[in-house]
Structures are given as C-alpha cells and as structure tokens.
Amino acid sequence: MVTVYQWGSCDIGHRDDNFYRENVGFQPRVAQSFKENSNKNTLKYKEIECVINGEDSQKCRREAKEVYMPFSFIQKYFEVYGSIESYDGYERFEFQHSYSKVHPIPDQYSPGGIFMSFEFYNVEERNRVKCLTGQYGVPMSTQWTSTGHYYPIQIAQFGLSHYSKHLAGPKPKVQVLEDGESGDTSEWLLPDRRSQLAVKTDADFTDNSIIEFDTSENLKNPGITISMDEKKLSTLSLDIKFISNGSLTVLLRTGDGNLFRIHYVLGDTLIYLQKRDLYYGLGSKARGKWLHITRMVMVDFQKGLALSMSKSKVAKFKRNARIAAICLRGHGLVDNVTLSSAAHLEHFFDAANYLVNQQDDQGGWPIMVQRKLVPAVLELDAGWYSAMGQDAAERALDVFGIKSGDGGVLTKFAGVYDWYEEYPTTPSSYVLNGFIYSLLGLYDLKEVASGKGAEHATRLFEVGMKTLKNMLLMFDSGSGTFYDLRHLTLGGAPNRARWDYHTVHINQLNLLSLIDNDPLFTSTSKRWTDYMKGKLSPHN
Amino acid sequence: MVTVYQWGSCDIGHRDDNFYRENVGFQPRVAQSFKENSNKNTLKYKEIECVINGEDSQKCRREAKEVYMPFSFIQKYFEVYGSIESYDGYERFEFQHSYSKVHPIPDQYSPGGIFMSFEFYNVEERNRVKCLTGQYGVPMSTQWTSTGHYYPIQIAQFGLSHYSKHLAGPKPKVQVLEDGESGDTSEWLLPDRRSQLAVKTDADFTDNSIIEFDTSENLKNPGITISMDEKKLSTLSLDIKFISNGSLTVLLRTGDGNLFRIHYVLGDTLIYLQKRDLYYGLGSKARGKWLHITRMVMVDFQKGLALSMSKSKVAKFKRNARIAAICLRGHGLVDNVTLSSAAHLEHFFDAANYLVNQQDDQGGWPIMVQRKLVPAVLELDAGWYSAMGQDAAERALDVFGIKSGDGGVLTKFAGVYDWYEEYPTTPSSYVLNGFIYSLLGLYDLKEVASGKGAEHATRLFEVGMKTLKNMLLMFDSGSGTFYDLRHLTLGGAPNRARWDYHTVHINQLNLLSLIDNDPLFTSTSKRWTDYMKGKLSPHN
C-alpha cells in the first residue's frame, strides 16, 4: 500500500488522524499499490475517463490498477516538458522538469574574467535589437518602444558578452586588406580617371603610412574598390577620416547571385533600406574626424533585411551571403582595413566608450523610454536610471544614494534594507537578478578602483550584500523563485520566475559564493538547483 | 502544434528567441499535437521507457504520438491525489490536486457565532489528547511530551469546538435520571442493608430537592446503583458533593458481553487502567465541594482502552459498548443526574473555567513543555506563552506587549512590523495561522469588552492587522502557502503548508474579509483557492 500523503517531520498544532475528517469533511485517499504486469500479452488496456479536480475531463488509460495519464495533459497542467528522443538504437521519452540548465561554477571570481556566462550571449542578434548603430557601434533597442532607444543595460550586456567572448573564444583570424605599409595599392580598382589613391604619412598613426583616396562622393559612382569573395571573415574594421562628404560600402553577393550594398554614410540615418541598398549613418558630426569603425557585416545585413522580410527568409539570405567588395567614395584617409572572424575587444570598447561618453551630470545613463511593469501601476517615466547600468564608473555611484522616487535607484524594504532597483518603480518592484547584477558591478568597482571611489563602492556593496542576505529567501517559492517582489508591494499574485531567470538566479548565487563564503549562497543555490528537477522544499 | 512553453505578458530584460540557446544551450521543445484514437478496440500501444530529468526511469505507454505516464509516478512526483471511483454505473478516475476543501464563507462574522469551522472538530478524540481530565474536564495533551500537559491552545480549541457545536448542532436529547424532584428513589438499588438513599433539601440549589447517599466507600462494594441499557445518550452529567471519601462509577457492557467499569475517584490520578477497571481522578481537593461533572463516557472509555490496545480494537470496543449502570459510593449529595446525546455548552464552560482560573499573574497561560520547531535551533523552553491562548480575557493582553525573547509573544519583522507569535521562538518563526487566530481573538475581545480593555484590544488588533496586510503575501508561494517564515529567519528551505493548513489560511482570510473590507483578503483568498486546483500564479 502506498499512502497518498505523508506527514512531514514538523509537528505543529492540529495534526492528528481526525484533522482531515474534521476540517475538510473527508479522509485522504489511499492509492492501491501497483503491480507491474510482467506478461505483456495479457495486458488489458482500456480507456477510462479522468475527472480533473471535479471540473474537467481527460481521456486516460487503465491497465489493471494502474491509471495512465496523457503527457499532453501533464505537460500543460504541471508546466513540464518532454519529447520522444531516439538514440542508442531505441526511442525513449525524455521528461524534463525545466527547460533550463545551470552553468558549472567557475573556480574563482575575478572582475577581469569572463562575466557570468555572457560568452554565450549574442546580444546583437536578438530581435529586440534594431541594429548596431553606425555612430557608436552599439545596439539600439526596441524593447518597450518600436522607435528604438539606447538602453544602457543592453549596451553593457553587449560589451560584457564580447569581452567574455574575447576571453573565452579562440583567437580570431585576421586578414589585413590594407595598411599602407606595403606601398603597393594595386589591389584597389579606381572607378574612373578622376579618382586617385595614394600612400601618405600621417602623424596620427605610429606606423605613419596611410592611404589617401579621392573620388566622386556620388553613391552611383562605384567608388575605389577592393574585391574579394569572403564568407568566414565577415567582421570589417578600419580607421577612416572623411575630408569631404563620402561613404564606405560593403558589397555582398547573395545566394541567388544578386548584389546587395551596405552603405555607411555621413549623417544621422539610423538604418534605412531601399530595395538592395541599406544605409547606416555614421553620425552628422563624423566628417573631418578619424573614425574607428568595426562592423559585423552579416549582422548589419541581417538587421537591414529584417526591416522588410520574415525571420526565416532573413536567415536564408544571411547564410548564403558573401562579401564581394569594399568601396570608398569621396575624399578621405583610410588605414588598417581588415577582415576578421571576430573583433570582440573592439565591440567591447565601442560599448565602454559609449557608456563613458554618454554618462550624464548625475553620473547615470537615463533610460529614455517609459517602462510598464504593470500597466498603470508599476510604470516608469522616460528618464529613469537603472542600477544595472551604473557599474562602469565611480561617478555612477551617486545614483545609488538617490531614492527611486527622486530619480535614483535606491529603495528601502520595510524602510530598513537598502535595495538598488533595476526598475526604480513606485511602489518598488525588487527585481532580484538586477539587484545582484548591481552588486556584482559594485564588487568589480571596489576591486579595481582606489581611494574614495573604492570606499564608496565598498560601502554600497556591503550594505547591498546585507540586504541580499536578509531578503534572498523572500524570492524562494519552495518550488522555484520569484522574479521580483511585486506581490508584496502591489498586493497581487507573485510573479514566478520562468526557468531561464531561475537559472540566472542560481548562476548569480554561484558567483556570489566565490566572493562571499556565507553558506546561505551555497545552500540556497543547491536547493534552487534541486527545484529544477522537481524536488520541492519540505512541507509541514 | 502545442508550444511547450509560453511567454508571459511581462517582458523584462533578456527575453528573446536567442535567450534559450545562449543561456541554456538548447531550445525549448515543442510537443506534437495529439490525436485521440476514437476506436477503442484498436488501441495500439507499447511500452516506452521514460527518463525522468535524466536520472530516473519510469515505464510508460506510447500510443501513436501520445505518451501516457503512470499515475503511481505522477502522484508521488507532483504530490497530487487520485483514485478510481465507481458511480452512475461506470468507473472514473478522480484526480485531485489537493485533499482539502474550503468551507463556505459565512454571511457575517460575530464574536458570539460559530468559530471558523470548529463545529467539525472533535478535539477530544484526537490521538494527541491523552484524556479529558477528571479534575477540569478539559483535554490533557501529549503533543511534544508523552507525560501530558495542559495545552491552553488545545483547551481553547476544545472549548470553541463545543461552543460551535452547541450553535450548529441539533438540540441534544436529554434524559434526567434523578433530580430529587419526584420524591421517588425506587429506581436506585441499594447494595446492602447499611446503605441509605434519601431526598433532601439544600440551599445551594434553587430547586431545593437533592439526593443524599451513604454507602461503603470500598470500590469492591457495588455502590448505590441505577441501571439502564443506553447506547445513544452517553454524556453523563451530574452535580455531586462527596462528604466522605467516595466515587462515581459508570458500568459499561461491552460487545462481548463483559462488563467494564469507569471509576471517577477522589485523588490526583490522571488516568489509570487495571484490567477492566479504569480510573479518572477528580482531584485531591474535590472532597467537600460541589462538583459539576460532565463526562463523554465513550470518550473516557476510548482513552482508557487506548492505554493498552490498538486503535482498531479500541474503535470496535467503543462502537459496541452500552451504559449498563451508574453507581455511587461513600457518603455524599447528588443532583441533576442526566444522560444526554451531547452537553456541548458544559464542555465549553469547563474549558472557559479552566482558562479563567488558571491564568497566571502575567495574564497568560504558560505552556509547560519544551517545543522544538527545529531541533537545537527553534526551541522553546518550558513556560512559554502563546498568542493563540491569550484571547480569553483582557488581562491576557499584557503578554502581547512583551517581546518573545522576554517571555512574551511579541516580535517585530525587520524591526518594524509587530507580530504575535504562536511559537515565540528566537529567532522568530512567524506562524501565519496562529497569528491570524490571535487577531481574531483580539477582534472578539475588542467587540465584547469595554473601556480600557477594549481600547487595548483595539490597539493590538489594528497594529496586528497592519502587519498582516504588509506581510500576508510573504506566505504566498505562487502554488500554495508557507506555514511560517522560518526560511527567512533560519536561512533554510521554506516550510510549505500542507493542504489542510492551506485551507485554514483560506478560511481565516474569508473570516477576515467579513470584518475588514480590504480587497487584499478576498483577492488573496480567491487565488489561494485556485492553487488548490493546480492553478499557479503567473510567471514572467
């Protein structure tokens, strides 16, 4: 006999055999024990109706005393996953409690090391990224607004992902197309007799040799061109200074044999597609300055196509495209033209430069979009800061001291515990992963900074860690985690974290356990990992 | 096609199609849609191994693209319930998410009305009740100590349950065996010539006529006896005053035709069984005083038998026993000897009198047993008070102002919110149902008291309600409730409330909604009720 329920180890109050009958009007049921029928040929298998909680009905199967329930029901009812998989010569049904996986815990945490598991992130490919802008080389987000905005958290993610890829990945393959050092410019094709190309010396570059080009700036002019047929090395980088108006074009050959042009032009156009011509603006103030441009050409291509066609079509075009030529127009100087398999560090610097240059007087990066966590309740007006975006520089720390109601990121749980908000709503939302990211940022800063900045970061970090230790288990649901504490501030349903955020929580605890040996982090991480296999916390 | 997962409505941060691949290394699976096989005779199925979370294995059934999982697994894995039930001419499988039921919400709350659903409680029959003591007529608890102790919460439950039964139940049937008014004592049998029985007048009783008895006090003497063969009216009550030593005996005829004696004796014996003689002590100071005794004879019989035999044997003996006679020994006075189907109000007064008389100088009822919520961590030394036991009288309110560390019941969550502890442990345990019971007690008191007592109760009630509104949803797990907040104070796993406590929480919220119209109580009650049918709170 298998008893359907079992008493826990903690005996409080009413527990006894009569409690059920008294309190609920009926006795808990006891299920029959089930015998495996060893003789398959005599199995009697028939349909039986299953009444679900006295309300719905499911067609099940019965075999002797065992009842079988269809997985199509189980999957939906219990939010679990499964599929038939074939390997080792036969088929199995693989049941999974969650769809997510926890990354292995690294040996140690270092501010200069790979960040979390960000080496697996491809931020720029996400649908919510409209494109990498020509002006800054950082993602333009369409989260919460279709017109696009610079979302500092996404830019930081972009930077950290490429930084982590740089550390984790193989050394990229690099092909220098032109650096002026050889003195030979015969690979370049001039479009007409008026066009010129010459090796020059420029004081801005230590190697001194650069290329001066001079041709029509008209986009109908093919420009001064270097040809190739390149598939794998699709990250283009170069230093360029336009003296007159001008442009840089990458010519692609698509799978159907047609040509497609990506034009990087002087001006404020973000991204613009006209048939087979795609335009990225390098900014209206780009003329007359040395620009260091790094473009993932296939990402630029993908984002352009996405303006007019379906995802699957885009993927097909992208898969079959090859770089056919690079063209220069107008009058200008160019150097260090390379194609490479990846240029992660350059993308990282694009992100870092953006964040350093765009920081405002208060030390933050206001997020210029209204954000509705709960429409009409947890809304943020445009111009909010986020604690997650504050981790780049010391002067960002001031925002941690300003209350979220006053334009900062600080809130106090129960008026007592300092919490740095990812979304500084009123009432507070207490998003866990954002808070821990801000703590990791503070930790990094206190480790790499010195003097007053380090002291400030240390103070904020320690206060935040104290809060985290007091509040961490408010996010423990006994079967998973909560994404935030909106239920406590709004009085509604708890917002359960879906499994991928649950694993982010676990990965974060694992990192924290490397920088703080409080057993709370290791024991909680273990339990939260168990939840992913359906192991619940005990009941009384 | 049924997508295995779905995005919630709240879009925060990383969500996009690449998140899975980047973060977890594989894509969520998509299950096939399943076709019902309409022809029962051709059910084609075969065994398929089901791998559970990559660890365990279950034998499942496969039928085309549908997989069926055995309920014996589902029940254990997901903690759900089910059984095959036969009605309306055919068998169904009844699946239940929980084993518990919520009582209907009453129309209004009244301090003088039925308390919660306590009319369904049979406190005295619980295994944890050693017996109803002869001295006070209230339960002696063996929770947490086998030697037994007066547990004021259990005594209050006992009183409230009989008070509620009195209001809810049918009018009891009462048979007066002797009140002296008829002047006829011929139903009594004298055991020997020296014994006497006479109608007397006594100033203590308004009806004036009482019975004086005088016989040997030796227990071997049968005593002065009135005979019967009574099954249904098994609650004996009488007023009695022993002038000499003496005893009251109830003679039972058991199903096997044997006789069994329950002796209520002067002395401190709690309960003592010797073969077919069972002894309950009425207290060493009982002699020379009028005693009002009310005994559920079959409960006394049950508790006595339970000292020496199994539960099932006890039940059988109890079921078949009948009252054969009532006997008096020694010299004394007796009046109002009745047998009735129930005497709920008398049991209620026994409990109320106990609580009023046993209150100590601090206004509380110290619980004289050590309590281990978590061995070696959440322990209580003997002598603790409980907020749940404080609801009988105004002077009990002082204990609400004393910190739990100082022998009172008050703790403060985050140093801010006043909480009245059912188990005033250090660190605090925050047992939800106990806290709400104490609030209901405070409400009752503020309603029925006047002057300073009412003001004091009102103040404590209002502070407590404010705390409850701020903390209630800390007990919401998104799929059920937590019994307490030990995880926040101890740093370990949350203690999920089993379904019967979950329904107590809901029943309590329903009562609170009658005395406070904050929508928090109704909306939370609704959601918590939904949890009992497997409806989870949303995820992000």
Side-chain angles (χ1 to χ4, degrees), chain B residues 401-444:
Chain B
I402 302 169
K403 290 265 181 91
S404 49
D406 301 330
V409 302
L410 177 65
T411 185
K412 280 176 184 282
F413 184 83
V416 173
Y417 299 123
D418 283 19
W419 181 281
Y420 315 129
E421 287 270 71
E422 178 173 353
Y423 303 106
T425 48
T426 306
S428 306
S429 43
Y430 302 103
V431 172
L432 179 60
N433 83 86
F435 180 53
I436 298 180
Y437 275 130
S438 77
L439 293 178
L440 292 172
L442 290 169
Y443 177 82
D444 290 352

Side-chain angles (χ1 to χ4, degrees), chain A residues 12 14 16 126 157 483, chain B residues 12 14 16 62 126 157 483:
Chain A
I12 297 174
H14 313 294
D16 61 46
R126 295 179 184 169
Q157 282 182 344
Y483 178 81
Chain B
I12 298 174
H14 313 293
D16 63 47
R62 181 179 176 183
R126 296 178 183 167
Q157 282 182 347
Y483 178 81

